[in-house]
Amino acid sequence: MQVTITRRMTFSAGHRIFNENWDDARNFEIFGPCSNPHGHGHNYALEISVTGPVDSETGMVINLKDMKSIIQEEIIDKVDHKSLNADVPFMKGINPTTENLAHKIWEILSKKLPGMSRLVLHESENNKVEINR
Amino acid sequence: MQVTITRRMTFSAGHRIFNENWDDARNFEIFGPCSNPHGHGHNYALEISVTGPVDSETGMVINLKDMKSIIQEEIIDKVDHKSLNADVPFMKGINPTTENLAHKIWEILSKKLPGMSRLVLHESENNKVEINR
Amino acid sequence: MQVTITRRMTFSAGHRIFNENWDDARNFEIFGPCSNPHGHGHNYALEISVTGPVDSETGMVINLKDMKSIIQEEIIDKVDHKSLNADVPFMKGINPTTENLAHKIWEILSKKLPGMSRLVLHESENNKVEINR
Amino acid sequence: MQVTITRRMTFSAGHRIFNENWDDARNFEIFGPCSNPHGHGHNYALEISVTGPVDSETGMVINLKDMKSIIQEEIIDKVDHKSLNADVPFMKGINPTTENLAHKIWEILSKKLPGMSRLVLHESENNKVEINR
Amino acid sequence: MQVTITRRMTFSAGHRIFNENWDDARNFEIFGPCSNPHGHGHNYALEISVTGPVDSETGMVINLKDMKSIIQEEIIDKVDHKSLNADVPFMKGINPTTENLAHKIWEILSKKLPGMSRLVLHESENNKVEINR
Amino acid sequence: MQVTITRRMTFSAGHRIFNENWDDARNFEIFGPCSNPHGHGHNYALEISVTGPVDSETGMVINLKDMKSIIQEEIIDKVDHKSLNADVPFMKGINPTTENLAHKIWEILSKKLPGMSRLVLHESENNKVEINR
């Protein structure tokens, strides 16, 4: 039997959504106030899931301590209280929409967490983005 | 890579659950207090998901502004602060269980949102109904 | 030392907000879609607080079992899955705004719960009404 | 069309995570403070989903009253306000990790609820375990 | 009897916490990562309460429609999707801590809402600031 | 102007509610399943508030970093993943009702946080206890 375990972690970050190849009018038309020049920000919640069989000795799919450390070091430490446009190496040159941010986090974490099966990134209480294996 | 984006919107509506071909005793036996003649109501939360590739120019699966307008006009404006039994054209003659309401919302929205992949309709903090493509 | 204990309980009810001495236009002007003739409804959450000293034998301000029974019998059983306009004796002839509903619940429960110090009635995730002793 | 209905129910239980074949040092290394000898506890939230067609007479996938009774009798009555290590027959001899608890609940409920399609067991606001058919 | 009604509204904004009279080391010592030069951001939730008697004709303390418009125009429109440091006239020259932001919002709204009795400003799920009349 | 700042922190603990001077029947009569001999447990959420003027240099009532460290060291480290009956020195010989636990936490923290004005201790999503200065 396959079981999925999910860890939720939070971070706060700033961003400005815009396409550098477009002028301000075009950016505002597509992105609305998300393209305001000085940026804004969110409290993000990130949920990472790993699916696999339950180990008979530990009763676990994966040790949550390990999962937590990996997410903390690879992602949270790099984005928390940062500007996604200016401060985060893995977002360099990438428009920080929630979709693009989720995609990059997936690329990084799925290499460190072999059974990773789902990522949910909440940008606000009404908007979220999800990637499934 | 396929990414799913989800928008949550809320509405408040009244309903009475009953089958008009049954007598009151049979309705009460099956539906309990949900069949009370004068109706009751709920704060519903509707989550609509669209799945697709991320557009390289916008960094989006779909523009949330468009998604929000479609859900607002097609659904929220028609059900919010309404009686699901008396006031909502698309529920005419249909017993307004959460399942039936979800089914009708799916039929309407999936025509307007081609990549629509999931609908979750929360009736209360403990009950929800879900449809997946 | 005074300690306050709070019990949260939920119910779902229907209502139509209107003043029977006004015409429909005036009702719509003041109450908006809340005055729609066939009504709508909400999932309400009611929080009742009792303040007092902690009993040295029980370690309690009041036994939650008793508090729960009183709120259940006096309020929840009378409003849950009901129309506040048509079905609830203590709301007879009263416009069922959240303020008026809270006021009546206060009158009833404060007689049964001597140390009652606060009532919070949530009508939705964004609106609530509160009465303090 | 297949529709999924989900019921959420809560319980509070105590547990100590440990492997009886290991010494205390090994248990602490793997399980950390979860292996503290006198145990600790959680408010669990259990979500059970059933998927199927909507019955044309009732407008339901399954009657929530029945679903609620089954979950209450088979699970909640046996674990609520109990020690998962000492008091729960179906957890006898099993290390009560969230994965193992979810697995046992799945075994019991999926026999009683033929269309059962998903189980989510929340151990805290940040950790949950999930089983899908 | 005095009744309190509360409206919750949300906004997303960016900020950098720092004292311009201090050097970077001193700012980091006091404000930690909140003083990162490129800023970060939050999803704020603002709750505004008005206390007064219930009007016998309307059954309301204040019309929520009016309360909502005032909060929207005076505050939300000015801070949502903005940088609190660069874009918000009423925060000009003020270090945008949650305390200072709450204080300025109180000054503005309490002039427009005579019975305003409480303001709660949530910066994250774990931090909030409150002002009571 | 006085401003209140609140920090929320969580912990999981086990407890058994009983009065050692009573027999099992009397304990069960008063405390119900909370007196089960092997105990159960909860995810607690603790909210601590400090009220005072806003410092003009920092824009803060109190530095949240300090507040967080004090709550962590004085309380969370002593109760998290522990049995309130067996493992927590400050609860020695005290029946661990939420009221008594809140009272002891108040005694400890109010000495370390001079402007402490409120403590809220959530035992579950429906029950909480509160102390105000």
Side-chain angles (χ1 to χ4, degrees), chain B residues 8 36 42-43 81 125, chain C residues 8 36 42-43 81 87 125:
Chain B
R8 177 182 177 274
N36 277 344
H42 298 287
N43 304 329
H81 285 79
E125 63 193 33
Chain C
R8 178 181 177 275
N36 277 343
H42 297 288
N43 304 329
H81 285 79
D87 297 327
E125 65 194 31

Side-chain angles (χ1 to χ4, degrees), chain F residues 17-132:
Chain F
I17 305 297
F18 73 113
N19 181 328
E20 56 188 0
N21 301 317
W22 294 347
D23 62 15
D24 280 5
R26 176 82 175 135
N27 271 301
F28 190 79
E29 184 196 333
I30 300 299
F31 299 121
C34 293
S35 70
N36 277 343
H38 298 106
H40 60 289
H42 298 288
N43 305 329
Y44 292 89
L46 175 66
E47 296 175 49
I48 298 296
S49 301
V50 169
T51 300
V54 178
D55 181 276
S56 62
E57 282 217 301
T58 62
M60 296 173 172
V61 170
I62 181 177
N63 197 322
L64 267 176
K65 280 190 297 181
D66 301 332
M67 205 168 152
K68 204 170 148 179
S69 302
I70 290 169
I71 303 170
Q72 182 72 39
E73 282 163 36
E74 299 289 332
I75 306 296
I76 307 299
D77 287 351
K78 291 176 178 153
V79 295
D80 192 29
H81 284 79
K82 297 285 169 58
S83 159
L84 298 176
N85 301 76
D87 298 326
V88 180
F90 68 73
M91 291 301 289
K92 197 88 193 169
I94 296 171
N95 188 6
T97 60
T98 315
E99 288 94 325
N100 280 341
L101 180 58
H103 192 155
K104 295 307 290 184
I105 294 175
W106 178 274
E107 282 184 355
I108 293 166
L109 287 182
S110 60
K111 282 179 199 140
K112 302 279 175 176
L113 292 167
M116 189 170 150
S117 53
R118 190 175 56 212
L119 173 161
V120 185
L121 181 59
H122 301 260
E123 191 196 63
S124 71
E125 63 194 32
N126 293 322
N127 300 336
K128 64 178 173 180
V129 150
E130 193 176 330
I131 298 174
N132 288 278

Side-chain angles (χ1 to χ4, degrees), chain A residues 2-98:
Chain A
Q2 297 286 297
V3 175
T4 296
I5 186 156
T6 299
R7 174 73 189 173
R8 177 180 177 274
M9 299 181 81
T10 60
F11 61 94
S12 296
H15 71 166
R16 179 196 176 192
I17 304 297
F18 72 115
N19 181 327
E20 58 189 359
N21 301 319
W22 295 346
D23 62 15
D24 281 3
R26 175 82 175 133
N27 271 301
F28 190 80
E29 184 196 331
I30 301 298
F31 299 122
C34 293
S35 70
N36 278 344
H38 298 107
H40 60 289
H42 297 288
N43 305 328
Y44 292 89
L46 175 65
E47 297 175 48
I48 298 296
S49 302
V50 169
T51 300
V54 178
D55 181 275
S56 62
E57 281 217 303
T58 62
M60 295 172 174
V61 170
I62 181 178
N63 197 321
L64 268 178
K65 281 191 297 182
D66 301 332
M67 206 167 152
K68 204 170 148 177
S69 302
I70 290 169
I71 303 171
Q72 182 71 41
E73 281 163 37
E74 298 290 332
I75 306 298
I76 307 298
D77 287 350
K78 290 176 180 154
V79 294
D80 193 27
H81 285 80
K82 298 285 170 59
S83 158
L84 297 175
N85 301 76
D87 298 326
V88 179
F90 67 73
M91 291 300 289
K92 197 86 194 168
I94 296 170
N95 188 5
T97 59
T98 315

